[in-house]
Amino acid sequence: MPDNSPSPPNLPRLRGFIADFTRLVERHSGDEPTILDAGRALLADLIATDDWLPDAYAQPDPVHYRQYLLHCDPYERFSVVSFVWGPGQRTPIHDHTVWGLVGVLRGAERSQRYDLQEAGGPPVASPSELLEAGTVEAVSPRIGDVHAIANALPDRPSISIHVYGGNIGAVRRSVFDPLTGQRKLFISGYANTALPNLWDRSQPVPHAA
Amino acid sequence: MPDNSPSPPNLPRLRGFIADFTRLVERHSGDEPTILDAGRALLADLIATDDWLPDAYAQPDPVHYRQYLLHCDPYERFSVVSFVWGPGQRTPIHDHTVWGLVGVLRGAERSQRYDLQEAGGPPVASPSELLEAGTVEAVSPRIGDVHAIANALPDRPSISIHVYGGNIGAVRRSVFDPLTGQRKLFISGYANTALPNLWDRSQPVPHAA
Ligand SMILES: [Fe+3]
Ligand SMILES: [Fe+3]
Ligand SMILES: [Mg+2]
């Protein structure tokens, strides 16, 4: 995957974030409020500077939004995903079943939260929020887990970086029909079969094993 | 990275190995003999079945052997690398400065260990060993860290899977001149800018974030 951008992506920034977040989930396993508080600060710091996401993980699809896995914890305790929305693209109404953090890296997104009705029927929308670049939002079954996200920009892609309390592409969760509230199970998977190699810190030098 | 092979690679095997090895380095940090003993068994198990390495990480280069990073621990406590030797290819004489395990997955390799002379001069070779598929060998500064490895097959590639006690592509280490013993520092890096995504365990389903 050759990189033709004028300056190479600042991978040490993402590498540092992954080490910090690994430490966080290791130390505070099961303590969701602490993970969300401290994780929000880590993610805010990561998205404060837009110099590190390799171009390959910033490409929109013409039809659907895309989710590129950037890193998965070896125990699947958390995952880091780049979501890329083309103009006009949006998610269905969905849940996560694990905690999640959404940080806008580029552009702007519109977030709409929903309450499910006990008796069924359409999910009840809260007022929508505009998330500008630099904003971090949290979801979880404890604090509100059902939402939909849309690109707020009509003319260019928006990108957000999400962190979830599991391997989100493998989690069994649900989408909801906006008219009937009917639940449908889904497993999202990922758009990419290859992850960025964050670990090459060499200068060009002779080979050896 | 489309996979055109008849059956998809058995990624759960590699995923399980990575989780097991993470557990091992976590529990026995600093205890090299235990890590090498238990790690040898894990690696022997991984290479006992040749059904899991994606083709993209099994491609020889026409000129040099290649080292493809498959996984790096988020704290850089260990890394897993696929080494692919074309016919006639070999490493220089080199050290590692960290522990290493070499497990032959495909083909056969010839391993040559060396002792450095205090007073300088050419490294002293031990009798070479033929490593057939399924064999695991260990190196480290404690048990002997200087060797060279060559493809033992004249007509096709050989592949070995290596595990090291660090992010080996970023480690400052040495190659040695076979005639003079002169040491030259190097940092190997990796051949690949993208790692395999081991974490997509979905069935094809509708998208959501
Ligand atoms: Fe070696
Ligand atoms: Fe979501
Ligand atoms: Mg690749």
Side-chain angles (χ1 to χ4, degrees):
Chain A
M1 203 178 298
D3 176 13
N4 299 314
S5 65
S7 57
N10 183 357
L11 297 180
R13 195 187 298 284
L14 178 55
R15 208 160 60 216
F17 174 79
I18 286 166
D20 289 344
F21 221 106
T22 303
R23 222 165 272 126
L24 177 61
V25 300
E26 204 164 86
R27 292 189 184 160
H28 299 284
S29 165
D31 178 0
E32 183 190 295
T34 298
I35 290 176
L36 287 182
D37 275 6
R40 177 190 287 274
L42 291 174
L43 182 55
D45 198 50
L46 177 68
I47 61 171
T49 310
D50 183 9
D51 68 352
W52 56 269
L53 183 67
D55 283 346
Y57 308 93
Q59 300 304 316
D61 176 86
V63 178
H64 299 294
Y65 71 92
R66 277 196 170 159
Q67 48 202 11
Y68 298 99
L69 181 67
L70 298 177
H71 173 76
C72 186
D73 174 72
Y75 298 140
E76 299 177 84
R77 295 169 300 189
F78 74 98
S79 51
V80 183
V81 183
S82 166
F83 278 78
V84 182
W85 279 268
Q89 292 175 7
R90 57 175 58 245
T91 70
I93 304 172
H94 65 275
D95 68 8
H96 310 84
T97 78
V98 294
W99 59 257
L101 289 162
V102 175
V104 180
L105 176 71
R106 199 175 298 175
E109 295 171 10
R110 188 157 288 282
S111 165
Q112 178 83 65
R113 287 176 176 273
Y114 293 87
D115 286 311
L116 301 179
Q117 302 192 70
E118 295 278 337
V124 179
S126 303
S128 77
E129 287 173 89
L130 183 69
L131 309 179
E132 313 249 26
T135 311
V136 177
E137 199 179 57
V139 292
S140 88
R142 182 178 59 91
I143 61 176
D145 196 34
V146 179
H147 73 171
I149 294 185
N151 189 351
L153 303 182
D155 56 348
R156 57 203 155 94
S158 291
I159 300 178
S160 49
I161 306 302
H162 299 204
V163 187
Y164 297 97
N167 174 4
I168 193 66
V171 170
R172 290 176 60 86
R173 49 200 180 113
S174 300
V175 293
F176 301 92
D177 186 289
L179 299 178
T180 66
Q182 198 190 350
R183 176 191 294 266
K184 193 169 158 190
L185 285 175
F186 84 111
I187 302 174
S188 64
Y190 297 109
N192 53 324
T193 58
L195 308 185
N197 181 351
L198 309 177
W199 308 100
D200 193 335
R201 307 200 270 113
S202 63
Q203 305 298 327
V205 281
H207 285 226
Chain B
M1 200 182 298
D3 177 11
N4 300 315
S5 65
S7 56
N10 183 359
L11 297 180
R13 194 186 298 283
L14 178 54
R15 208 161 59 218
F17 174 79
I18 287 166
D20 289 346
F21 222 106
T22 302
R23 221 165 275 126
L24 178 61
V25 299
E26 203 164 86
R27 292 190 184 158
H28 299 284
S29 165
D31 178 1
E32 183 190 296
T34 298
I35 290 176
L36 286 182
D37 273 7
R40 177 189 287 273
L42 291 175
L43 182 56
D45 198 50
L46 177 68
I47 61 171
T49 310
D50 184 8
D51 67 352
W52 56 268
L53 183 67
D55 283 344
Y57 309 93
Q59 299 305 315
D61 176 86
V63 179
H64 298 294
Y65 70 92
R66 277 197 170 157
Q67 46 202 11
Y68 298 100
L69 180 67
L70 298 177
H71 173 78
C72 185
D73 174 71
Y75 298 140
E76 299 176 83
R77 294 170 300 190
F78 75 98
S79 51
V80 183
V81 183
S82 166
F83 278 79
V84 182
W85 277 268
Q89 293 175 5
R90 58 174 57 246
T91 71
I93 303 172
H94 64 276
D95 69 7
H96 310 84
T97 79
V98 294
W99 59 257
L101 289 163
V102 174
V104 180
L105 177 70
R106 200 176 296 175
E109 295 171 11
R110 188 156 289 281
S111 165
Q112 180 82 64
R113 289 176 175 271
Y114 292 87
D115 286 310
L116 301 179
Q117 302 192 68
E118 295 278 336
V124 179
S126 302
S128 78
E129 287 172 89
L130 183 69
L131 309 179
E132 313 250 24
T135 310
V136 177
E137 199 180 59
V139 291
S140 88
R142 183 179 58 92
I143 61 176
D145 196 33
V146 178
H147 73 170
I149 294 185
N151 189 352
L153 304 182
D155 56 347
R156 57 203 155 93
S158 290
I159 300 178
S160 49
I161 306 302
H162 299 205
V163 187
Y164 297 98
N167 175 4
I168 193 66
V171 169
R172 290 175 62 85
R173 50 200 180 112
S174 301
V175 293
F176 301 92
D177 186 289
L179 298 179
T180 66
Q182 198 191 349
R183 176 192 293 266
K184 194 170 159 189
L185 285 176
F186 85 111
I187 301 174
S188 64
Y190 298 110
N192 53 324
T193 58
L195 309 183
N197 181 351
L198 309 177
W199 309 101
D200 193 336
R201 306 200 269 115
S202 62
Q203 305 298 327
V205 281
H207 284 227

